[in-house]
Amino acid sequence: MTFGAMFHHFHGGIYPQSQGSINKTQFENIIKYLKKKKKIIDPKKFRYLVSTKNLKGDEVCLTFDDAIKSQINIALPILRKHKIKCFFFIYSGIFKNSYDNLEYFRDFRCHKYKNIDLFYKDFFQKFKKKFSKKFIEFEKKFTNKYLKKYNFYTLNDRKFRFCRDIILSKNQYEKLMSILMKEKKYNKTIRKKYLFMTKSDIKRLIKENHTIGLHSESHPTNITKLNYNSQLKEYKNCKNLLEKIIKKKIWSMSHPCGKYNISTLKILKKIGVEIGFKSNNFSKKINSSLEIPREDHANLLRSAK
């Protein structure tokens, strides 16, 4: 089956190990594994094979989400070594302070706690105290089936994501996280330069013949909660800003948190996006050029061992 290999966070040097991150050796082992099992192809060839319906099923392309700085400092040198060109999906809000706090929240829970379950303990305690009715709703509605197919998530991971994406409103979730961050004295301003790519990083990727794609403007954790016009704004704003930076038309994207609906697909076609990637490969097939499956690096790493 043709798919995209999906990467996010890397650790090493100034980047401490965090939940789900991999180091350069693990990344290189995944590349070596993929080279044995598949044909790693560059984005431009992938675009051609998709448009001409000539995919054979043995292709794989490498994809990177979220404009994370460690991808530049840790992954990019390995890509140069192996002469691999990839997709980098960027959410444009990082350049204009109109982004979701997703990356800060992740950084906070990974670096202010000795382990993730200590964060979950604080989160659920604070949740129960501040939004008791919502907490009761969570206890009634959550089932172990939620996100169970994502086998790299623990039960606590899935409970947390259910609260964040289903039970709590965006404002309620951000209020809870802000309280916890204040208690732990987490400083977003200090952490920003370690977390996100700069415009110069994006230009460097283009200069090295990588492909820049859309990942929305603000990176909502569940874009399907937005109506058609709000989704359109997310993707048009992202496309317009990124095209100004790279001086090229953008034709690819990945769905933030794997979430999309019929409106999303209509919007992407309307603005000229040809290829879109999901965050899973549950269907084991490509339903459309905007629903190409991906395999998470955590699963690939297990297979590579």
Side-chain angles (χ1 to χ4, degrees):
M1 181 190 71
T2 297
F3 62 87
M6 181 172 64
F7 298 93
H8 287 84
H9 299 87
F10 294 82
H11 62 261
I14 64 171
Y15 301 101
Q17 186 170 354
S18 60
Q19 186 184 27
S21 66
I22 58 174
N23 61 33
K24 63 181 182 180
T25 300
Q26 292 170 317
F27 181 47
E28 195 156 19
N29 286 341
I30 290 173
I31 289 175
K32 290 176 181 177
Y33 167 77
L34 290 173
K35 282 184 173 181
K36 289 180 181 179
K37 298 292 183 179
K38 297 280 187 178
K39 293 178 182 176
I40 299 179
I41 60 176
D42 65 53
K44 292 175 183 176
K45 185 174 182 180
F46 191 81
R47 179 188 192 185
Y48 171 77
L49 293 176
V50 170
S51 65
T52 58
K53 299 182 179 180
N54 277 317
L55 290 171
K56 304 297 183 185
D58 61 350
E59 303 92 350
V60 63
C61 55
L62 273 55
T63 72
F64 297 79
D65 284 3
D66 296 347
I68 298 165
K69 187 72 172 184
S70 62
Q71 295 170 3
I72 296 293
N73 294 328
I74 297 176
L76 190 56
I78 304 298
L79 296 175
R80 291 192 193 112
K81 175 182 175 181
H82 289 270
K83 298 179 179 180
I84 297 173
K85 306 303 177 186
C86 312
F87 289 97
F88 285 83
F89 299 116
I90 312 296
Y91 62 103
S92 60
I94 62 173
F95 302 119
K96 50 189 291 191
N97 292 324
S98 60
Y99 48 84
D100 190 274
N101 282 300
L102 177 72
E103 198 60 40
Y104 286 115
F105 292 160
R106 182 191 184 281
D107 183 62
F108 161 70
R109 65 180 182 259
C110 289
H111 294 101
K112 285 293 185 178
Y113 290 88
K114 289 183 178 180
N115 64 68
I116 194 65
D117 286 319
L118 291 176
F119 161 75
Y120 289 143
K121 180 181 178 181
D122 278 0
F123 176 83
F124 288 118
Q125 285 179 346
K126 194 70 68 176
F127 179 16
K128 186 176 183 179
K129 182 178 179 180
K130 293 293 182 180
F131 301 106
S132 57
K133 290 182 179 179
K134 284 284 186 175
F135 190 83
I136 292 171
E137 182 184 353
F138 152 65
E139 291 186 310
K140 287 181 178 179
K141 291 185 176 180
F142 178 80
T143 74
N144 284 338
K145 293 181 180 179
Y146 184 72
L147 297 181
K148 194 172 184 178
K149 289 184 178 180
Y150 291 86
N151 55 21
F152 47 85
Y153 285 156
T154 66
L155 178 60
N156 275 341
D157 290 337
R158 292 186 282 120
K159 286 182 176 180
F160 169 70
R161 282 162 173 76
F162 186 79
C163 294
R164 181 192 70 185
D165 299 341
I166 305 298
I167 299 297
L168 293 167
S169 70
K170 179 179 175 65
N171 287 339
Q172 289 170 334
Y173 170 64
E174 295 210 343
K175 182 177 181 179
L176 279 178
M177 292 299 295
S178 295
I179 292 170
L180 292 172
M181 290 165 76
K182 186 176 181 179
E183 289 177 353
K184 293 284 187 177
K185 297 180 180 180
Y186 177 84
N187 191 311
K188 289 169 61 176
T189 302
I190 292 174
R191 293 301 300 168
K192 182 176 182 179
K193 65 179 181 179
Y194 297 103
L195 295 179
F196 299 115
M197 293 182 191
T198 63
K199 290 182 180 180
S200 295
D201 292 327
I202 306 301
K203 291 175 182 178
R204 185 196 312 180
L205 291 172
I206 287 295
K207 188 175 181 180
E208 296 189 25
N209 291 316
H210 295 285
T211 295
I212 301 299
L214 311 181
H215 202 48
S216 78
E217 179 179 37
S218 68
H219 200 304
T221 57
N222 189 352
I223 202 167
T224 64
K225 288 185 176 181
L226 304 183
N227 61 31
Y228 181 93
N229 287 334
S230 295
Q231 287 195 45
L232 178 61
K233 182 180 179 181
E234 282 282 339
Y235 284 111
K236 282 188 71 175
N237 287 353
C238 183
K239 190 170 189 286
N240 291 339
L241 192 150
L242 292 179
E243 288 181 345
K244 286 181 181 178
I245 295 173
I246 68 175
K247 310 299 182 186
K248 292 177 181 287
K249 290 293 183 182
I250 290 178
W251 46 269
S252 63
M253 65 82 65
S254 68
H255 301 283
C257 297
K259 300 292 199 317
Y260 64 93
N261 55 21
I262 294 174
S263 292
T264 316
L265 300 181
K266 289 180 179 178
I267 287 165
L268 295 173
K269 289 179 181 178
K270 179 177 181 177
I271 65 175
V273 175
E274 302 171 27
I275 291 175
F277 288 90
K278 302 191 296 182
S279 63
N280 63 73
N281 67 352
F282 301 152
S283 65
K284 301 297 182 182
K285 63 180 180 179
I286 298 176
N287 294 322
S288 78
S289 63
L290 295 175
E291 300 170 279
I292 295 167
R294 288 193 291 178
E295 189 68 81
D296 189 87
H297 74 260
N299 294 332
L300 292 171
L301 186 60
R302 283 196 291 269
S303 298
K305 292 181 179 179

